[in-house]
Amino acid sequence: MSSIINPIQTLQFSTSLHFFSSTPSSSSSSSLPKLRLKPSTTTTKLFCISSTPDAMAAPTTDEVARDFFPFLRIYKSGRIERIAGADVVPPSIDPKTGVESKDVVISPETGVKARLYVPNSSVAGQSQSPKKLPLVVYFHGGGFCVETPFCAKYHNAVNTLVAEANVVAVSVDYRLAPENPIPIAYDDSWDAVKWVVSHSEGTGPEEWLNSRADHERVFFAGDSAGANIAHHMAIRVGLEGGLSNGSKLLGIALIHPYFWGAEPIGNEVKFPEKGKWAEGIWRFVSPTTTGVDDPYINPGKDSNLGKLGCERVLICVAENDLLRDRGLYYKEILEKSDWVGRVEVVEAAGDEHVFHLTKPTCENAVAMLKKISSFVEQS
């Protein structure tokens, strides 16, 4: 499995994105399913490591123009220093799970790529003629401006999901802001969705998607900004009257979705500085936005919410995540809309934003993975 990704980048990486962390909520809903009963005692510290000599040789006089730590920094010279998710791991056959991955180019014109995953067919004793499996299209997080499917965190996360849920997965590498501002991430992601479903009749360019994926059992999933994208892809499916070529979107799984709004809700009022940070990121990646009541970031302001193109939604929230209340609000407004379907929320007690990426083996991460797997298996 050769990688099409350049392993040398003049960037940096980080172990976590904790800017959305908040203190435990005293108003947590006791009716929400709790993935774990006791709070985490593990603290993940943030650190950065330069990945190339070029990064280390950057001029000391190159002053920071805009600082979005722990995402990225922009210098007055125009240089962009990505801090999170700049590492690259190659596709492989995972020695523990047997999951196989490879990289593909979706659009040579735009450079949009993806990493494909298939589980080990021999596990089920079907190496001669493996059965077709549910298909998960995954959109990574990172505030629309950092991370890729090829960094260790996301490679490991999707690899683990494929092994646990026994699915075929496509992890989309959409272009990042600020070089490619919103709505490019949405456009790239929709192009990826169309490319995926072009395999539904068994004549697409990637044999894994032709022979291993069940296109009548498609799911979108993502975390943080990627969950936002997954939501909007499902809206687009609804507006288009469904997926093409007989493919069917059955559900979406949104992990700690990055939604926001001008009016604070829930615990947001207690953390105004973090709220400004969340709004600032949005305005940074979407310079032509009307603000944080833009339907792209605030689904409560989207007149098309009721057209969501699937019948099942799973929302995963974390108790100490500033975005927790946005996830709960999403359920509320979805149920009040014209949408006909079933939405479920599960909450990880005592944990923070995207904790599953930095603590993949913790009790909450394992429980959340099993919940998502069960959500897919119900198809």
Side-chain angles (χ1 to χ4, degrees):
M1 288 65 60
S2 61
S3 174
I4 60 172
I5 311 303
N6 183 355
I8 305 290
Q9 297 190 27
T10 56
L11 302 174
Q12 298 181 321
F13 72 90
S14 161
T15 60
S16 66
L17 303 176
H18 284 172
F19 63 96
F20 284 133
S21 301
S22 64
T23 56
S25 167
S26 59
S27 61
S28 297
S29 173
S30 59
S31 63
L32 291 176
K34 298 290 185 178
L35 296 182
R36 184 167 56 80
L37 297 179
K38 60 182 180 179
S40 171
T41 57
T42 302
T43 301
T44 303
K45 294 184 178 180
L46 194 70
F47 64 91
C48 302
I49 300 176
S50 297
S51 59
T52 70
D54 289 342
M56 297 176 65
T60 56
T61 56
D62 193 1
E63 297 181 14
V64 175
R66 304 190 72 177
D67 192 341
F68 288 104
F69 185 84
F71 279 174
L72 78 170
R73 294 186 179 99
I74 300 179
Y75 293 83
K76 291 184 177 180
S77 66
R79 179 171 66 93
I80 296 175
E81 176 191 37
R82 284 194 163 84
I83 301 167
D87 59 309
V88 173
V89 296
S92 61
I93 298 178
D94 187 85
K96 293 183 179 179
T97 65
V99 171
E100 186 173 359
S101 56
K102 66 177 176 179
D103 296 333
V104 298
V105 175
I106 291 176
S107 172
E109 292 76 22
T110 62
V112 174
K113 301 176 287 290
R115 179 160 289 182
L116 276 54
Y117 298 81
V118 291
N120 184 358
S121 59
S122 64
V123 171
Q126 299 171 341
S127 57
Q128 297 300 318
S129 180
K131 67 177 181 179
K132 290 194 173 184
L133 304 172
L135 174 58
V136 175
V137 183
Y138 194 91
F139 305 97
H140 69 83
F144 301 97
C145 58
V146 293
E147 307 284 6
T148 75
F150 317 113
C151 69
K153 283 186 296 186
Y154 280 104
H155 174 75
N156 293 337
V158 179
N159 182 89
T160 304
L161 173 63
V162 169
E164 177 68 29
N166 198 32
V167 298
V168 175
V170 179
S171 187
V172 178
D173 183 39
Y174 54 87
R175 287 174 290 174
L176 301 176
E179 305 95 318
N180 303 283
I182 297 297
I184 289 177
Y186 299 112
D187 295 338
D188 287 351
S189 297
W190 184 245
D191 286 344
V193 168
K194 291 190 295 182
W195 178 85
V196 168
V197 301
S198 73
H199 295 77
S200 62
E201 297 177 346
T203 58
E206 285 301 324
E207 185 56 28
W208 285 359
L209 299 183
N210 290 332
S211 62
R212 300 292 304 276
D214 184 348
H215 289 264
E216 293 187 356
R217 291 188 290 167
V218 178
F219 293 82
F220 297 160
D223 63 278
S224 197
N228 176 304
I229 293 174
H231 156 76
H232 282 288
M233 294 304 99
I235 292 288
R236 188 95 178 243
V237 169
L239 292 173
E240 296 280 334
L243 293 172
S244 61
N245 301 325
S247 296
K248 295 180 181 179
L249 178 66
L250 298 187
I252 58 175
L254 309 182
I255 304 170
H256 312 161
Y258 176 29
F259 298 132
W260 204 247
E263 186 70 25
I265 61 174
N267 280 322
E268 292 170 6
V269 68
K270 300 178 182 179
F271 305 98
E273 291 305 313
K274 289 181 181 291
K276 291 178 182 178
W277 209 99
E279 178 175 349
I281 280 288
W282 174 250
R283 291 183 179 277
F284 170 64
V285 301
S286 183
T288 61
T289 186
T290 56
V292 286
D293 278 341
D294 185 325
Y296 275 133
I297 193 69
N298 187 350
K301 301 296 183 180
D302 190 351
S303 60
N304 291 319
L305 180 63
K307 296 181 173 65
L308 194 74
C310 62
E311 295 183 353
R312 296 172 57 221
V313 175
L314 173 65
I315 307 167
C316 301
V317 299
E319 183 180 16
N320 296 345
D321 182 6
L322 183 66
L323 300 182
R324 169 189 180 272
D325 292 309
R326 291 291 163 178
L328 302 183
Y329 180 59
Y330 179 80
K331 177 181 185 292
E332 178 184 333
I333 60 176
L334 192 57
E335 290 178 330
K336 290 180 179 178
S337 74
D338 295 332
W339 178 70
V340 178
R342 181 164 59 90
V343 57
E344 180 181 4
V345 176
V346 293
E347 180 174 18
D351 260 314
E352 302 171 328
H353 190 66
V354 296
F355 67 89
H356 63 293
L357 296 178
T358 55
K359 301 182 294 182
T361 60
C362 75
E363 187 177 350
N364 268 355
V366 172
M368 186 175 74
L369 178 65
K370 290 185 179 298
K371 181 62 183 179
I372 296 171
S373 299
S374 174
F375 177 73
V376 172
E377 288 169 2
Q378 289 173 20
S379 65

